[in-house]
Amino acid sequence: MSVIRELYEKVAQPMPGNEQPRDEYIESVYLFPQARDRQLKGLPPVEEWSEAERQLGEETVKMNRYIDGQLVNWKQVIREELQGTRQKRRHMGKYEQSNATASAYFFDSRN
């Protein structure tokens, strides 16, 4: 269960705000769910667990719920940031286009 604990500790940290550290952080977190799935598939059936394994399993379930919730939250934050960036690009594009067409006309007030 060490992979799950590592992922839990990783997602418990706040996501970095800067672009480059954030990308590295997301890439490092991206690999954990695959390893977590492999580790969970390799477990024996629940009926064969000892009491200690059962407690560890309950703790793991709680960590997995937290991890899944954090990943959903991050996905939402990233989606909102992307939408904001797209809106800014569209807005700036319209602004640049309107200035280009307006500056193309020259009116001589002396005539």
Side-chain angles (χ1 to χ4, degrees):
M1 299 297 170
S2 63
V3 172
I4 296 168
R5 184 166 304 286
E6 286 180 56
L7 179 57
Y8 176 81
E9 291 170 0
K10 188 83 168 174
V11 299
Q13 301 170 7
M15 188 185 311
N18 297 339
E19 188 174 319
Q20 184 63 27
R22 179 181 280 189
D23 290 345
E24 292 169 4
Y25 184 75
I26 291 171
E27 286 178 26
S28 69
V29 169
Y30 178 74
L31 300 175
F32 278 104
Q34 297 166 355
R36 175 182 66 165
D37 290 343
R38 283 192 303 271
Q39 191 174 30
L40 290 174
K41 287 179 183 177
L43 293 176
V46 176
E47 297 82 26
E48 298 175 11
W49 289 6
S50 67
E51 186 59 34
E53 290 171 328
R54 195 172 305 277
Q55 288 176 350
L56 182 61
E58 289 174 7
E59 182 181 335
T60 301
V61 168
K62 289 177 186 177
M63 285 190 286
N64 276 326
R65 285 186 184 138
Y66 177 79
I67 291 167
D68 291 342
Q70 284 295 97
L71 294 178
V72 167
N73 290 340
W74 289 357
K75 182 179 177 182
Q76 183 63 30
V77 166
I78 292 169
R79 179 179 288 140
E80 289 171 1
E81 289 176 358
L82 286 173
Q83 287 175 346
T85 301
R86 286 185 195 121
Q87 288 176 348
K88 285 179 186 177
R89 285 183 183 167
R90 271 188 293 231
H91 177 70
M92 292 305 292
K94 289 178 183 178
Y95 178 75
E96 289 172 359
Q97 289 173 356
S98 67
N99 281 346
T101 57
S103 65
Y105 298 104
F106 178 77
F107 296 102
D108 188 1
S109 62
R110 290 181 269 166
N111 288 336

